[in-house]
Amino acid sequence: MLILFFVWLFCLPSPLFDVPTATVAESNNGQMLGARIADDGQWRFPQMDSVPKRFEKCILYFEDEHFYWHPGFNPVSISKALWNNLTRDSRRGGSTITQQVIRLSRKNKGRTYFEKLIEIFQATRLEAGYKKKSILNLYASYAPFGGNVVGLETASWRYFGIPASELSWGQSAALAVLPNAPSLIFPGKNEEILKKKRDALLLKLFRNEVIDETTYQLALDEKLPGKPLPLPEYASHLTEKIRKEHLGKRIETTIDFSLQQKVNNIVKEQNYMLAQNQIHNLAVLVLDVNTREVLAYVGNSPTTREHNNFVDIIEKPRSTGSILKPFLFTSMLDAGEILPNTLVADIPTSVNGYTPENFDKKFNGAVPASVALSRSLNIPAVRMLRDFGFQRFYNILKKTNQKAIDKPADYYGLSLILGGAESSLWDITKAYAGMASTLNFFNTSSSEYRKNEFMEPVYVKEHEGIDFGKIQQKPSVWNAGAIYEAFEAMEKVNRPSGEENWEFFTSSQPLAWKTGTSYGFKDAWAVGVTPKYAIGVWVGNADGEGRPGLTGIQAAAPVLFNVLNVLPQSGWFKIPYDELVEAEICTKSGHLAGLFCEETKMEWIPKNGIRTEACPYHQTVFLSRSVGTENFRVNSSCYPLLEMVQKNWFALPPVMEYYYAQLHPEYKVLPPFAPNCLQEGEKLMAFIYPKKNEAVLLPKNFDENVNEVIFKLAHRSPEITVFWYLDSKYIGKTETFHELAVSPKPGKYILTATDQDGNELRQEIEIKSTSQN
């Protein structure tokens, strides 16, 4: 007996069911987002937590009315079944639900009397070790429901498109009779047999007063299950991601089901319009700024396999375009190297052969740094990166966990700021969210920061919360003052020149946002943040094909604002006064006010902004008092001291002035010096092209003939004549607009420009033909 007891004690395998299960993804409120079939080809969801009351009543009255009273087997039912099978041709089963669980765990071995004894033996052990509810739950999770459908929850979705908890009495009864003979009663076939069994069960429920007459009549009229339905696919790429990382599990995600549906609809509508321009792929990611949870995840548009609809764009590195510019702007504010409205140069620029251009191919001369950011000007960004140092900026990007930027800084160089690097929508949106979170936390935590502000977002529900790291006095990347000023500039992002449809992007909800477009119109970005949400959008073709009109402002921005409009209001960020100081700023230059700045105003600037230089563009000049007007600049070498008029003047360097004056009618060029006045070495002119250390290439036209090269020069004095020389050879003169077309031979020269007053400018240049390059 002791041996028999030990055999009985250890007769159940552990685990009882060792079979693969499907992967199921659910939203944060338990609604199904999607599922992937188990590795053995069965639709078998992970084990249920509980059995719905309606199905429990149905299965008990159909299979095992005395389930809660027997010890695992029912002697009366077994005796009746045995007598029937010995005396009649028909077969009758006498198994309890507990025995059926054992049979399912043993993979439905042959129905012999010996096998039946094993089932009874193990059923008693199962009853001794499990609660009745747990046994019923095992049955509901592993019972066959026809075809490759296993388990109640799976059957509920496959046959009715709803979770098991929402099954009606008629639906519950129909499913309760299926495990009894799933191969015979397959939904869509043998409907009469299925209906007869279901209706008989409903009648039994009615007669036993489980349901009332109205419920009974309504249940009889309910439709039977038919052809299996497709399972929900609200976040197909996220579901696939979960399958790879959490195979065979039921995962509660952080996805907001309602928001996911709305974003899916937005993507579907935008995809239809973009497809007219042969733009086929689109991805959207929405994060909760404060918890870093993923609220919506659309990895690709509902396009076709031909257009790579299976690719999860959110994870794929793509050229960043201009989307990194806010990080540079914030870095320079944080380091105290610029102020928000410091004038930065927007002039022809060449650095070691690299010649950036603005999107509109124009130059502004000088623009406030915040305007350069909001208008996404390329030349100021490159010049700012050169001043800041690309290795230094690269190190900052690494702190924000830009995983795809994995080559040395020298590999990217200055092109890093214009799309020379790649990053994913996941990492970019994460970084923007980290900026917003830094600002949010600082505002509520007394000048303190968290260590892990740029941590990875989460899509699996973390019930214990997310660890942002220890509290510290220093920010992990940027301080709150610099971030706030960057967001202020980004909230004013304006359209590029020539875009007339900006009014479609206005919103009552403020947003700090930025667009980006990669070289060749292959990638369009739009990323924005509010105090609560971070939204990332990428538009393009997964195969890298560029298309006209595939720009951030035209293709991605409409999606960004459509998503913003379905999000709850967030307000705007609080001002982090503890990380700002009030300073007197020169109105015209955006620098700290200097001695000669006449128009100033008080502004809040990042703390380190007090390190920046005072305004370099205002100077004091002395003018002649001539016929009631101030016509000439003078000095003691040519004019009486007592007759001089002193005046403060805003004057830019010649090349900046050349372009700036064309766009600013209010700008006044410095008057020329009076005749016979010593000019004390003032820089009156500068070469626009060629720049210093820039090789000049002789261009060819379509006929392979060499075109002329145009030398350009900016001169501070209007209507003055400039004489041009290559080495000592005179090549021409220019007046007012100093642009000279020449056809030199390849070689090294000294380019000299001399104005009519004898002022001279010299520069070494090298001229190459395209065949030499």
Side-chain angles (χ1 to χ4, degrees), residues 283-287 314 425 428-429 525-528 534-538 560:
V284 179
L285 179 66
V286 182
L287 304 179
I314 288 176
L425 187 62
I428 292 295
T429 311
W525 299 79
V527 183
I535 311 165
V537 177
W538 178 91
L560 174 71

Side-chain angles (χ1 to χ4, degrees), residues 141-424:
S141 298
Y142 294 100
F145 284 83
N148 65 345
V149 179
V150 179
L152 172 64
E153 186 70 20
T154 315
S156 181
W157 279 106
R158 291 291 277 161
Y159 298 141
F160 298 109
I162 57 175
S165 59
E166 297 179 11
L167 288 171
S168 66
W169 281 107
Q171 292 167 336
S172 297
L175 293 183
V177 303
L178 279 180
N180 183 259
S183 59
L184 174 64
I185 311 172
F186 185 83
K189 300 178 181 179
N190 306 309
E191 286 87 352
E192 289 301 321
I193 301 174
L194 176 59
K195 186 174 187 337
K196 182 178 178 180
K197 284 182 172 287
R198 184 203 67 174
D199 292 351
L201 175 57
L202 288 171
L203 179 61
K204 191 174 185 180
L205 293 172
F206 170 59
R207 288 176 174 173
N208 284 274
E209 299 183 349
V210 177
I211 58 176
D212 57 31
E213 184 175 1
T214 301
T215 303
Y216 169 62
Q217 293 296 335
L218 291 174
L220 290 175
D221 291 334
E222 289 189 50
K223 291 183 178 180
L224 294 170
K227 183 179 179 181
L229 303 172
L231 292 172
E233 280 283 22
Y234 292 107
S236 59
H237 296 88
L238 181 60
T239 302
E240 185 62 23
K241 184 180 178 74
I242 289 172
R243 184 194 67 80
K244 294 176 181 177
E245 299 175 5
H246 305 277
L247 182 65
K249 295 182 179 180
R250 184 190 302 271
I251 297 297
E252 180 187 7
T253 71
T254 59
I255 296 295
D256 182 309
F257 186 76
S258 176
L259 178 61
Q260 181 73 25
Q261 284 184 303
K262 293 174 182 177
V263 175
N264 283 344
N265 290 334
I266 291 170
V267 169
K268 183 177 180 180
E269 293 173 3
Q270 292 295 323
N271 176 66
Y272 175 78
M273 291 186 286
L274 291 167
Q276 311 306 309
N277 188 25
Q278 298 181 39
I279 301 171
H280 300 288
N281 303 105
L282 164 63
V284 179
L285 179 66
V286 182
L287 304 179
D288 185 305
V289 162
N290 297 312
T291 66
R292 219 55 50 82
E293 293 180 344
V294 177
L295 301 180
Y297 190 109
V298 181
N300 209 330
S301 53
T303 184
T304 62
R305 176 172 290 273
E306 177 187 0
H307 298 300
N308 305 295
N309 62 340
F310 54 88
V311 176
D312 187 350
I313 300 292
I314 288 176
E315 296 183 320
K316 302 302 180 184
R318 306 291 301 204
S319 172
T320 54
S322 299
I323 210 69
L324 301 180
K325 288 178 182 175
F327 302 157
L328 175 61
F329 181 75
T330 308
S331 298
M332 296 189 76
L333 288 174
D334 183 55
E337 297 185 16
I338 60 169
L339 297 180
N341 295 307
T342 297
L343 283 181
V344 293
D346 182 18
I347 58 178
T349 300
S350 179
V351 183
N352 297 325
Y354 178 55
T355 307
E357 291 184 331
N358 291 328
F359 187 82
D360 59 6
K361 310 293 185 182
K362 297 178 181 179
F363 306 100
N364 296 275
V367 290
S370 61
V371 174
L373 175 63
S374 65
R375 292 179 56 192
S376 198
L377 298 175
N378 292 335
I379 293 173
V382 169
R383 296 178 69 94
M384 290 165 67
L385 180 57
R386 181 188 62 182
D387 294 342
F388 187 73
F390 56 82
Q391 177 67 57
R392 189 175 167 200
F393 181 57
Y394 173 88
N395 294 338
I396 289 175
L397 291 179
K398 298 302 287 184
K399 290 182 180 180
T400 68
N401 295 322
Q402 300 299 309
K403 296 184 289 294
I405 303 179
D406 55 2
K407 295 178 176 61
D410 289 341
Y411 175 85
Y412 303 107
L414 295 176
S415 69
L416 177 63
I417 200 64
L418 300 184
E422 291 186 338
S423 189
S424 65

Side-chain angles (χ1 to χ4, degrees), residues 712-725:
K712 294 183 180 181
L713 177 141
H715 199 293
R716 191 179 294 283
S717 300
E719 299 181 3
I720 197 167
T721 302
V722 174
F723 303 92
W724 298 75
Y725 301 85

Side-chain angles (χ1 to χ4, degrees), residues 634-667:
V634 294
N635 55 40
S636 58
S637 70
C638 63
Y639 203 77
L641 292 175
L642 295 178
E643 296 294 324
M644 294 181 188
V645 176
Q646 182 177 343
K647 188 169 184 178
N648 295 333
W649 204 285
F650 173 65
L652 296 171
V655 178
M656 292 171 65
E657 180 181 85
Y658 176 80
Y659 293 101
Y660 185 87
Q662 298 175 37
L663 301 174
H664 295 268
E666 75 282 2
Y667 179 81

